[in-house]
Amino acid sequence: MLGDKYFELDMSYWGRSRRLVIQILCIWALVAYGLPALVLETNKMNYLGFPLGYYNCAQVIPLFFGALLLIFNHVQEGIEADQMDGKPMVEAASSAALNAVLMKVYVAYTGGFVSFVLFLGFLEAVGVPDQAIGILFVIFTLGMYAAIGIASRTSKSDDFYVAGRNVPPIFNGMATAADWMSGASFVGMAGTLYALGYDGLAYITGWTGGYVLVSTVIAPYLRRFGSFTVPEFIASRYQGTVQLPGGKVVEMSGFARFLATIVLLSCSFTYLTAQVFSTGVIVSRFIGIQFEVAVFSGLIGVLFCSLLGGMRAVTYTQVAQYVILIIAYTVPAICMSTTQDDGFNKNNPVEFLVYGGTLQAIALREKEMVLLGLASKVTPYLEPKWRRVDFFALTFCLMVGTASLPHVLMRYFTTPSVRSARRSVTWSLGFILVLYMTAPAYAAFAKLEVYTNVIGQPLSVLPQWVFTYGKIGLTSVCGKAVTSVNEAVEACAQATGGDYLLRLKDLKISKDAMVIATPEIAGLPYTIAGLVSAGGLAASLSTADGLLLAISNALSHDIYFRLIDDKASIQKRLLISRVLLVVIALMAAGTAASKPADILSMVAWAFSLAASGNFPALVLGIWWRRANAQGAIAGIICGWGLTLTYLLGTVYGGWELWGGISNVAAAVFGLPVGFAANIIVSLLTSPPPDNVLAMVDSLRDFKVTGEDLTAEELEDIKEKEEALARTQVLQVSNTAEATAEATAELTI
């Protein structure tokens, strides 16, 4: 029978797949931690002008992760081909046709956007004011995203939640990259590298290395399960009952779903606030409105996409946003790259090969500033300042957090098949690498420009960008956000600006301003600066789209539909989801308007919360059959709870750092506690029920793809899945009351 085949555990297939994953992860860990451990030794060697230790973390390790995923996909598909007696797996014809159509549409869209940028360059050349060009950039991009949202509107639940599960891998990869490369990456990454130097490379290593975990450990299995949300998978995987002291038996899957939703809300809302914050920074700079007003204005484009078309509209908007953000990020870097003549490169447009000489020039200028009295001490840009344990802790938390973020994982629910999900992860990392390999060059070019053409200059000749960004509080001179030379002279307590040379400690530039300010720092045309603003807006809005959708879907599907009203119609559920989108967006805007922290810190907190709350439950749920509901609940409460407590205590409670570990790596404490609690409690309580074990076995089994099944077989599978869904709904009916009782009992 098909049912036996559908749920049968193939040990041969699973055994080979498991060994492959173990081998890949061993190589991944060796490279991710081995090369950075040798940075002091390898920095003494040079490659194309680069200190090798720096270059390894900035370029070699991320590229190696991409190559590792290509190898993994090739070998895994070979294992699957053996299960089909060598018959190749062919994607559905509908997916191939959609891929061809989308390719034509987005090629035309890219050409149109490039033409628009050239037209604005022409307007600048004929004297159109800079602010008008900035406004045109912002209006065009927001209008384009809103138009895609309107064109992609839908009332179908599968389109709204998972884009119909037919997004081709390459376009899902672009959408995931846009979803991923948030304001933290676009606006904050180069700024962090500018400020931290080598230590900032922990973010690049961590965020790229996390995709190896996504592809090998989690994403294919979630796609095989076929859920709408991460909490839905956790609820289905962690079914089971517990008897309360009064004798009442309570189903635990509802409580597991509730906790998973709380984790999703905590990490996603923190992340969302960071995106809205970066949107406010960009809109306030290029339209010239107050930051608090800009924060709310930037939500218009987000809500158009999310409200009308859900995941379908968000997916195709994010592809368009990726095109804009990657052009906007690379063009200024290429322009600056072609001006370099460092003895190794001359007029070379490949920016990630060029900035080795720039790094050497930075090192020389650091020594020169000390000799000239412009700085009492300069922390070397190329050398690690953090302890190695701090670098490794942050890298680890970012890697695991990447594999745990709900809004990233839900992107792989939209692909046509499991194989497409794996390929989509590889495409995602490939598109992400384009930006991440450019960020170190961006930071280096900006650093040298500031060190050479700003530090050591009289106050009277400070460049205009210092005052422009001072108006919105992103730059300061002598401790004050100044808007004119006179204010700078007054801030530095000097009688004249011509006699006082600006020292290194006198100038402060916000990390969040670095990318959008760099075109002006480098003296590039204002059209390039406007292009960067459009790219930053695309990066922030694309991630905000995905986060809003993840939050509203979890509340409407996992809380309202599954726990409150399991008879709600699709129309009612979609209406509730859309109302929640607006409410959550307004809450995030209100929070961002208070300027709670820098963008990258807020994002790092989200990664730690996701890692400690989701990763143990997801990994053990897939890879350990013995994990049960009680263990998952204990793991989430202990791991996520400890991480949240450490974050709140160190950020707002005045706590000392534990072992000197920064709160951006808070999951280093919560994650092992979460794993330990899950495992210990699972072993001390009864095993999962048989239907859950069968589900785990089916996740590990090789399944032929839909096009290889007959209509009758597909109908049989559909009936089984609907029956399983009905069983889950019955098991969690009246769970709101039961969950409250279970919570009270666990608290006692």
Side-chain angles (χ1 to χ4, degrees):
M1 276 186 67
L2 177 63
D4 296 334
K5 173 185 177 182
Y6 191 67
F7 288 105
E8 181 184 6
L9 177 64
D10 182 345
M11 291 302 296
S12 175
Y13 168 78
W14 173 244
R16 293 175 65 188
S17 299
R18 182 174 54 193
R19 285 192 298 273
L20 173 62
V21 169
I22 292 172
Q23 291 165 354
I24 291 292
L25 291 182
C26 287
I27 298 171
W28 163 82
L30 181 64
V31 172
Y33 294 99
L35 291 182
L38 300 174
V39 62
L40 293 177
E41 293 76 17
T42 52
N43 257 352
K44 298 173 183 177
M45 297 178 275
N46 278 279
Y47 173 72
L48 295 177
F50 292 91
L52 187 57
Y54 186 97
Y55 192 76
N56 282 339
C57 289
Q59 314 290 339
V60 174
I61 294 176
L63 281 175
F64 180 83
F65 291 150
L68 199 61
L69 285 188
L70 289 174
I71 295 170
F72 170 70
N73 287 345
H74 176 74
V75 178
Q76 184 63 46
E77 289 178 13
I79 294 173
E80 292 171 353
D82 290 344
Q83 299 297 309
M84 301 182 66
D85 297 325
K87 179 182 177 181
M89 297 176 64
V90 182
E91 293 292 345
S94 59
S95 179
L98 179 61
N99 188 75
V101 171
L102 291 175
M103 192 68 72
K104 294 178 182 178
V105 168
Y106 284 107
V107 167
Y109 165 82
T110 303
F113 178 71
V114 171
S115 299
F116 174 72
V117 174
L118 294 175
F119 172 69
L120 292 185
F122 169 76
L123 293 182
E124 181 183 3
V126 298
V128 173
D130 290 348
Q131 188 170 3
I133 293 174
I135 291 173
L136 285 174
F137 262 120
V138 172
I139 291 176
F140 173 82
T141 52
L142 288 178
M144 179 62 66
Y145 306 150
I148 295 174
I150 294 172
S152 304
R153 62 189 181 277
T154 182
S155 59
K156 296 180 179 179
S157 61
D158 61 336
D159 279 345
F160 191 88
Y161 287 118
V162 289
R165 299 194 196 278
N166 68 346
V167 182
I170 185 171
F171 291 100
N172 194 55
M174 293 179 75
T176 304
D179 200 350
W180 172 258
M181 288 189 296
S182 60
S185 293
F186 192 99
V187 177
M189 174 62 75
T192 297
L193 291 171
Y194 175 95
L196 298 180
Y198 171 82
D199 293 327
L201 296 177
Y203 287 94
I204 291 181
T205 304
W207 281 339
T208 54
Y211 276 88
V212 178
L213 290 176
V214 173
S215 183
T216 58
V217 177
I218 294 178
Y221 304 98
L222 293 185
R223 176 60 188 89
R224 182 165 287 159
F225 177 72
S227 62
F228 280 169
T229 66
V230 171
E232 183 173 31
F233 169 79
I234 289 179
S236 299
R237 169 60 180 86
Y238 292 110
Q239 299 175 46
T241 59
V242 63
Q243 186 171 3
L244 300 178
K248 185 172 183 178
V249 176
V250 177
E251 169 59 45
M252 300 298 288
S253 65
F255 191 40
R257 183 191 297 272
F258 175 76
L259 286 176
T261 304
I262 294 299
V263 172
L264 182 149
L265 291 175
S266 68
C267 62
S268 296
F269 188 80
T270 305
Y271 209 153
L272 176 62
T273 301
Q275 308 321 307
V276 179
F277 182 94
S278 62
T279 300
V281 170
I282 295 166
V283 174
S284 63
R285 163 64 184 94
F286 288 95
I287 293 187
I289 60 178
Q290 188 177 355
F291 173 81
E292 289 76 11
V293 177
V295 162
F296 286 92
S297 302
L299 294 177
I300 297 174
V302 180
L303 291 176
F304 257 105
C305 299
S306 305
L307 281 172
L308 296 175
M311 180 61 85
R312 180 184 177 188
V314 165
T315 296
Y316 298 124
T317 304
Q318 286 174 336
V319 175
Q321 288 166 330
Y322 177 80
V323 172
I324 292 178
L325 74 87
I326 209 64
I327 291 175
Y329 204 85
T330 55
V331 166
I334 291 172
C335 290
M336 291 184 287
S337 175
T338 56
T339 65
Q340 304 299 307
D341 184 2
D342 54 21
F344 299 95
N345 296 278
K346 184 176 182 179
N347 307 126
N348 188 340
V350 186
E351 68 281 359
F352 58 84
L353 295 178
V354 171
Y355 68 99
T358 304
L359 294 176
Q360 292 190 6
I362 290 172
L364 291 175
R365 180 59 177 165
E366 288 171 341
K367 297 175 182 177
E368 187 178 62
M369 287 189 295
V370 174
L371 292 175
L372 295 175
L374 299 173
S376 58
K377 181 181 179 181
V378 178
T379 303
Y381 186 73
L382 300 176
E383 296 179 10
K385 279 75 73 179
W386 296 350
R387 300 173 303 170
R388 292 187 184 184
V389 66
D390 297 324
F391 187 96
F392 292 151
L394 179 57
T395 300
F396 176 72
C397 291
L398 296 176
M399 286 178 173
V400 177
T402 299
S404 309
L405 284 175
H407 78 281
V408 172
L409 295 177
M410 67 187 290
R411 285 244 44 99
Y412 302 109
F413 298 158
T414 66
T415 58
S417 65
V418 174
R419 182 181 70 159
S420 296
R422 281 196 307 267
R423 289 186 172 185
S424 181
V425 178
T426 306
W427 279 112
S428 301
L429 181 55
F431 289 125
I432 288 168
L433 284 176
V434 178
L435 186 145
Y436 278 9
M437 294 189 61
T438 303
Y442 216 117
F445 294 148
K447 190 85 168 180
L448 186 60
E449 285 286 340
V450 171
Y451 276 5
T452 304
N453 298 321
V454 181
I455 305 302
Q457 300 299 314
L459 296 179
S460 58
V461 296
L462 287 180
Q464 181 59 39
W465 63 264
V466 174
F467 309 124
T468 300
Y469 287 93
K471 293 177 182 178
I472 54 177
L474 296 179
T475 58
S476 66
V477 175
C478 296
K480 181 180 178 181
V482 299
T483 59
S484 66
V485 171
N486 290 337
E487 290 185 10
V489 171
E490 181 182 348
C492 296
Q494 298 298 312
T496 171
D499 299 331
Y500 182 79
L501 301 182
L502 191 71
R503 296 170 297 175
L504 181 61
K505 69 176 184 178
D506 296 334
L507 179 66
K508 302 296 181 185
I509 306 174
S510 169
K511 291 183 287 186
D512 300 333
M514 185 50 59
V515 167
I516 57 176
T518 293
E520 294 164 88
I521 293 173
L524 298 176
Y526 185 83
T527 300
I528 301 297
L531 174 64
V532 172
S533 76
L537 201 59
S540 298
L541 295 183
S542 61
T543 304
D545 280 331
L547 290 163
L548 275 173
L549 207 58
I551 295 171
S552 64
N553 285 356
L555 290 175
S556 64
H557 181 77
D558 291 296
I559 298 298
Y560 181 78
F561 176 59
R562 292 299 190 187
L563 300 182
I564 298 175
D565 183 6
D566 58 13
K567 295 181 175 59
S569 65
I570 291 176
Q571 290 74 18
K572 186 175 182 180
R573 289 155 55 194
L574 294 183
L575 175 62
I576 289 173
S577 182
R578 285 166 171 147
V579 171
L580 288 170
L581 276 171
V582 176
V583 173
I584 296 161
L586 292 174
M587 290 173 60
T591 306
S594 66
K595 301 181 180 179
D598 69 87
I599 297 173
L600 212 63
S601 293
M602 286 188 282
V603 168
W605 298 342
F607 277 76
S608 279
L609 291 170
S612 58
N614 282 337
F615 195 71
L618 290 172
V619 170
L620 293 176
I622 295 167
W623 293 84
W624 190 42
R625 297 174 82 243
R626 186 62 175 78
N628 63 15
Q630 295 93 321
I633 290 169
I636 293 173
I637 292 174
C638 294
W640 176 81
L642 179 61
T643 299
L644 181 63
T645 301
Y646 184 66
L647 274 174
L648 295 177
T650 54
V651 176
Y652 302 108
W655 290 10
E656 293 291 330
L657 297 177
W658 297 351
I661 299 294
S662 170
N663 54 49
V664 296
V668 78
F669 302 110
L671 187 66
V673 170
F675 268 109
N678 193 322
I679 293 170
I680 292 171
V681 174
S682 292
L683 291 175
L684 293 177
T685 51
S686 58
D690 291 341
N691 67 310
V692 172
L693 294 176
M695 186 193 80
V696 175
D697 292 344
S698 73
L699 293 178
R700 302 172 175 187
D701 190 13
F702 175 76
K703 299 176 188 176
V704 291
T705 53
E707 61 269 19
D708 297 315
L709 300 177
T710 66
E712 292 77 10
E713 290 173 331
L714 287 171
E715 186 64 27
D716 189 10
I717 290 174
K718 184 178 179 181
E719 289 177 0
K720 288 180 180 294
E721 290 174 338
E722 289 176 349
L724 179 60
R726 286 194 298 271
T727 300
Q728 294 167 2
V729 171
L730 288 173
Q731 288 174 332
V732 300
S733 61
N734 301 320
T735 308
E737 178 184 352
T739 298
E741 294 181 24
T743 305
E745 179 63 25
L746 287 171
T747 304
I748 294 172

